[in-house]
Amino acid sequence: MLAPERRSRTDLVVAAVIAVTVVVAASVAWLTGDARGTTSVTADNPLAPSEAAASVPAALSELWRAPSSATDSAHTPVPVVTGSAVVTADGGSVVGHDPRSGDPAWSYSRDLPLCSVIASWNTAVSVYRDDRGCSQVTTLDGSTGVRTAQRTSDAADSVYLSSDGTYVTSRGDTRMELWRSDMVRTLEYGRVDAPVNPGTQPRTGCTLLSTTSSNSRTAVLEQCPGEPAARLSLLNPAPKDASEPEEYGSSVVPDLVTSGQEPTSGRVLALTGSLVALYVPSAKGVPARIALYDDTATAVSEFALPAGLGPASAPPASPAAKQGSVFTWFTGSGVQALNSTDLTPAWSMPGALGSGAVMAGRLLVPVPDAIAVVELATGTVIAEIPIDRGDYDGPVQTSVIGDVVVEQRGSDLVALG
């Protein structure tokens, strides 16, 4: 019979050293890792999916309001709503609210600055800033706040987020990325730090001015060194290699000339099929207009903006919003609608405060002291719902969730029902 194993003094010392090492390593990981600065409170009961409104209400009043500075127009084009929650983002916290009561159902907080939040795939896509820029991305389930996917990558210190339903775009001034729902990057464009394969980007040193995308195309407007005007490029949003952009076409737009050290105020507005719409500011007596380009970045046609719609200065950064049969673009002084099939002008509404949102087949457009109920195809105002916005008189962007209308008024989010 073998003698039973006996632990020597050396064995005990080694075991103690290993235990101490594990504790120290865990402590260092906790003190230096992301988990220490993160608080995640998920919903005890998931928020129910909101049912679409059957009709537009005759009256609306304020249900609740909350600060949401990271979803104002400088960061995100519209208030953030998922299929079941209204999402606010302020300080370092992202909070999912019950649409009607405003009660917080879940929250996610970090000890990092919050760059921006956007809704896509029934999640809230939150982006935080660290020493690599707005690089830390977490998606939060809209009904529970549970973390669903995360990623980190190099980024600018400030980014603009947009979603086409298939991809989320994160654009800084020199670098852009597209992500799919599992947070895998499908496209990297512009500045690349320590590239694995040098020379894969079509141009270097450019400033990215504006972008929009669809499930099959990404349009980028950029100002590149040595070029007399801004350049429009049409890209594959998901090339075989994310780090090697595939261009369908690219050309300099002569009308988008820079003014001194200031970049052009031109914008990419909308993209459908093989057509892209650009905003071209007024110059040399020619009024502001919208120009259409094809898949090869070749000019097709253009039309002047109606009187009262031309921006007095640079227009808002947000592109046009898809609203059923039209795209609606808030110019800063009104709304211009484009047909969704060919991007030709559909109708215009001078004096509108934002691009609006659809409820029960009607477009709800914010106007001074009211919300206009608009026929999508014609732009005809069917009714106006009085709204008391107090002393606020700036732009108003709108989202709809069920029978609740959500307005972004500067850094405040206001729910109406």
Side-chain angles (χ1 to χ4, degrees), residues 51-57 359-362 402-403:
E51 295 184 4
S55 60
V56 176
M359 175 184 282
R362 305 294 189 187
D403 59 357

Side-chain angles (χ1 to χ4, degrees), residues 64 130 168 329:
W64 56 274
D130 61 12
V168 163
W329 178 50

Side-chain angles (χ1 to χ4, degrees), residues 7 10 38 89 92-93 114 150 164 216 233 243 246 257 282 285 375:
R7 290 178 294 180
T10 301
T38 300
S93 297
L114 183 60
Q150 295 176 282
D164 58 48
S216 62
S233 298
S243 64
E246 297 175 8
V257 180
S282 60
E375 172 63 46

Side-chain angles (χ1 to χ4, degrees), residues 257-336:
V257 180
T258 56
S259 175
Q261 298 299 315
E262 294 296 321
T264 175
S265 59
R267 296 281 186 271
V268 179
L269 299 184
L271 182 62
T272 185
S274 60
L275 289 174
V276 59
L278 297 183
Y279 163 69
V280 180
S282 60
K284 298 180 179 179
V286 180
R289 57 204 185 277
I290 292 177
L292 303 185
Y293 283 73
D294 67 13
D295 209 25
T296 65
T298 301
V300 174
S301 61
E302 64 178 38
F303 61 91
L305 281 173
L309 280 189
S313 56
S318 56
K322 181 69 181 300
Q323 315 275 16
S325 61
V326 296
F327 286 94
T328 57
W329 178 50
F330 176 56
T331 70
S333 57
V335 168
Q336 175 64 53

Side-chain angles (χ1 to χ4, degrees), residues 34-358:
D34 293 339
R36 180 172 179 266
T38 300
T39 302
S40 177
V41 178
T42 57
D44 293 331
N45 299 301
L47 291 170
S50 294
E51 295 184 4
S55 60
V56 176
L60 289 167
S61 59
E62 184 172 324
L63 299 174
W64 56 274
R65 68 170 59 204
S68 191
S69 60
T71 60
D72 67 20
S73 59
H75 300 85
T76 301
V78 295
V80 178
V81 298
T82 67
S84 50
V86 177
V87 179
T88 59
D90 201 63
S93 297
V94 181
V95 181
H97 301 259
D98 179 280
R100 293 204 65 86
S101 70
D103 293 339
W106 55 261
S107 64
Y108 179 77
S109 302
R110 299 192 63 177
D111 60 353
L112 294 172
L114 183 60
C115 297
S116 189
V117 178
I118 195 170
S120 192
W121 319 298
N122 199 31
T123 66
V125 183
S126 58
V127 182
Y128 287 83
R129 184 184 302 111
D130 61 12
D131 56 4
R132 298 179 66 193
C134 292
S135 66
Q136 299 208 19
V137 188
T138 300
T139 57
L140 305 166
D141 179 82
S143 61
T144 63
V146 170
R147 286 171 281 192
T148 56
Q150 295 176 282
R151 69 166 292 110
T152 60
S153 56
D154 185 43
D157 287 339
S158 178
V159 296
Y160 180 85
L161 301 181
S162 59
S163 174
D164 58 48
T166 302
Y167 305 103
V168 163
T169 300
S170 173
R171 174 182 58 83
D173 57 355
T174 60
R175 175 182 171 82
M176 178 180 73
E177 290 191 354
L178 269 67
W179 310 315
R180 65 191 194 198
S181 59
D182 57 4
M183 285 293 101
V184 170
R185 181 173 62 204
T186 64
L187 176 63
E188 179 182 43
Y189 187 80
R191 174 182 57 80
V192 179
D193 284 350
V196 176
N197 299 310
T200 56
Q201 293 292 320
R203 285 162 292 280
T204 60
C206 302
T207 300
L208 307 184
L209 306 174
S210 179
T211 186
T212 193
S213 65
S214 68
N215 62 355
S216 62
R217 296 289 186 273
T218 295
V220 181
L221 192 66
E222 58 189 330
Q223 183 68 55
C224 296
E227 295 188 341
R231 171 180 288 273
L232 173 66
S233 298
L234 278 297
L235 310 169
N236 183 345
K240 293 180 180 179
D241 187 334
S243 64
E244 297 186 22
E246 297 175 8
E247 287 187 343
Y248 296 109
S250 182
S251 65
V252 172
V253 181
D255 293 327
L256 297 182
V257 180
T258 56
S259 175
Q261 298 299 315
E262 294 296 321
T264 175
S265 59
R267 296 281 186 271
V268 179
L269 299 184
L271 182 62
T272 185
S274 60
L275 289 174
V276 59
L278 297 183
Y279 163 69
V280 180
S282 60
K284 298 180 179 179
V286 180
R289 57 204 185 277
I290 292 177
L292 303 185
Y293 283 73
D294 67 13
D295 209 25
T296 65
T298 301
V300 174
S301 61
E302 64 178 38
F303 61 91
L305 281 173
L309 280 189
S313 56
S318 56
K322 181 69 181 300
Q323 315 275 16
S325 61
V326 296
F327 286 94
T328 57
W329 178 50
F330 176 56
T331 70
S333 57
V335 168
Q336 175 64 53
L338 308 173
N339 289 303
S340 62
T341 53
D342 58 10
L343 301 183
T344 55
W347 48 265
S348 59
M349 183 181 291
L353 303 177
S355 53
V358 175

